[in-house]
DNA sequence: GCTGGCTGACCGACTGTTCGGTTAAGAATG
DNA sequence: CATTCTTAACCGAACAGTCGGTCAGCCAGC
């Protein structure tokens, strides 16, 4: 596991460590609300030094969102190559999505808040829509199988379902006492069985 | 119901009509991502004309968020003065919250996206937290009554529940074929009974 | 003629970005 | 060992453009 290659050159930030701090700040203040000046202060280096690692502010955003999108797309690839009932595959997608959300929390957070102001943002939104489509298809299939209630429109169901999942970024912090598995269990229980005692 | 007082002076925008367009643009581009110049272009008047109606950009934000918060707080006041089992009062809060979300969609949307960069934003976040607390208390009470499942932490439950509700702002548009009541039904069914067929 | 809405020119501060030069480390050379 | 080379990160000053906001005065309708 020791991928500890010796760092050459002057010590300091590399792209990864810089990106981590940048994304954290973007999530605190919002992407548009964060200036490069402010970021440089947080990093403890000058504004111009940032441009040694990255060609523009927007590239920071792109890099971050790609990390989130790559994780989510790995889930869809998994789901597509899977067998079994749609409802079971749906539950698997939900569990894996929660995992990606938790493991790449800052990146996904940034992704979910993008408004589509620039080309980069619109491209990210387009990839997100692809993901949503897969989930909606699964919900439709499971409803057709008779495993999911058919009294609610599948697209409404999938939107509310992923609304619940995505809301995790607003409050979940890995440091806390809730493990990733416990969170996934809570989400699945609530989503599939509801919160009322029957 | 005719509150149609006669408009005097030169015809044009008043505060309300200006605010409506401003909030719409803020939601499209994000508050920080929208410049007063851009807003003036959308309004069809000059930048300085905006300052005839409002003292600052932030006041637009404050006015909008207050409209959302006032609606949500009316729900909590209702809930506090209500009798009956906690689970029934919780369902009522959920239904009324969906109603407020739909009726004041643009204002609530703006509220839910604020990051806390300024005093105005932090004050709004504080009021939001008060609202969340009421819901969490209701969930706790309902769990203590034995009406709600006790295998999930009440604060997690309430967060996921309102994550689902709040996600409505991301996709629901009143123009569509889903009525407000149908939406509230879908939310309550999904939240309380889950999406699996039993 | 008063009220309410608007214009156009302007300000200082801040924006993201560029550029030429510098500094600190490991690696190669003698 | 000391020297030079290479790599990688950084600084300071400046750029053109945009930001939110101001002010004195103009204009349309009851």
């Amino acid at each position: 596991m020791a991928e500890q290659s010796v760092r050459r050159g002057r010590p300091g930030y590399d792209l990864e460590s810089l990106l981590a701090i940048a994304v954290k700040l973007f999530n605190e203040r919002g992407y548009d609300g964060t200036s490069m000046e402010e970021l440089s202060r947080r990093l403890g280096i000058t504004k111009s030094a940032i441009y040694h690692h990255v060609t523009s502010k927007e590239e920071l955003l792109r890099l971050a969102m790609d990390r989130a999108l790559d994780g989510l797309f790995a889930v869809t690839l998994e789901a597509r190559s899977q067998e079994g009932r749609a409802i079971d595959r749906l539950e698997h997608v939900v569990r894996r999505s929660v995992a990606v959300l938790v493991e790449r929390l800052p990146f996904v957070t940034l992704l979910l808040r993008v408004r589509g102001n620039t080309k980069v943002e619109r491209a990210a939104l387009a990839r997100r829509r692809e993901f949503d489509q897969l989930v909606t298809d699964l919900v439709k299939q499971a409803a057709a199988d008779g495993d999911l209630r058919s009294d609610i429109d599948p697209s409404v169901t999938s939107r509310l379902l992923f609304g619940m999942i995505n809301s995790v970024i607003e409050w979940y912090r890995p440091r806390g006492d809730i493990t990733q598995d416990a969170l996934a269990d809570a989400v699945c229980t609530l989503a599939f069985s509801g919160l009322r005692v029957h």
Side-chain angles (χ1 to χ4, degrees), chain A:
Chain A
M1 255 305 195
E3 240 254 69
Q4 193 80 16
S5 73
V6 193
R7 284 275 298 278
R8 298 191 49 172
R10 184 176 173 176
Y13 291 102
D14 61 353
L15 180 58
E16 212 59 34
S17 55
L18 187 143
L19 184 63
I21 295 182
V23 170
K24 203 177 158 200
L25 190 59
F26 286 162
N27 283 332
E28 281 173 32
R29 303 282 233 244
Y31 174 73
D32 286 317
T34 308
S35 69
M36 294 298 268
E37 175 83 38
E38 205 175 348
L39 174 57
S40 75
R41 250 180 280 136
R42 176 71 69 102
L43 289 164
I45 58 179
T46 48
K47 217 170 28 156
S48 56
I50 301 173
Y51 289 89
H52 172 72
H53 300 277
V54 90
T55 65
S56 68
K57 186 186 179 187
E58 210 171 3
E59 192 182 2
L60 282 170
L61 181 63
R62 193 177 51 76
L63 287 169
M65 292 195 303
D66 279 350
R67 272 160 180 71
L69 285 166
D70 290 348
L72 292 176
F73 260 67
V75 175
T76 70
L77 288 179
E78 247 180 73
R80 265 187 252 273
S81 68
Q82 235 175 9
E83 315 230 327
R85 296 186 82 78
I87 191 172
D88 296 326
R89 289 161 64 202
L90 179 63
E91 178 163 347
H92 185 260
V93 166
V94 170
R95 291 201 111 87
R96 290 288 304 124
S97 295
V98 171
V100 170
L101 241 78
V102 170
E103 283 156 14
R104 311 190 183 196
L105 194 60
F107 300 122
V108 179
T109 301
L110 198 55
L111 174 70
L112 291 180
R113 287 184 184 154
V114 124
R115 307 297 327 145
N117 288 348
T118 64
K119 265 189 189 171
V120 171
E121 297 187 15
R122 281 188 290 274
L125 287 177
R127 284 187 75 189
R128 263 189 68 188
R129 252 175 266 124
E130 277 186 67
F131 180 80
D132 289 349
Q133 192 54 56
L134 172 105
V135 177
T136 307
D137 289 345
L138 272 179
V139 170
K140 271 183 189 149
Q141 185 60 52
D145 291 350
D147 293 327
L148 243 62
R149 55 189 328 127
S150 51
D151 52 345
I152 310 177
D153 186 67
S155 67
V156 173
T157 305
S158 69
R159 289 192 138 125
L160 288 175
L161 173 60
F162 262 81
M164 187 173 87
I165 295 173
N166 290 340
S167 75
V168 162
I169 61 158
E170 301 289 347
W171 54 272
Y172 182 75
R173 296 296 170 265
R175 293 277 169 201
D177 37 28
I178 310 163
T179 67
Q180 179 184 307
D181 282 341
L183 180 66
D185 286 344
V187 169
C188 284
T189 304
L190 226 157
F192 288 100
S193 303
L195 46 79
R196 179 178 275 124
V197 171
H198 294 97

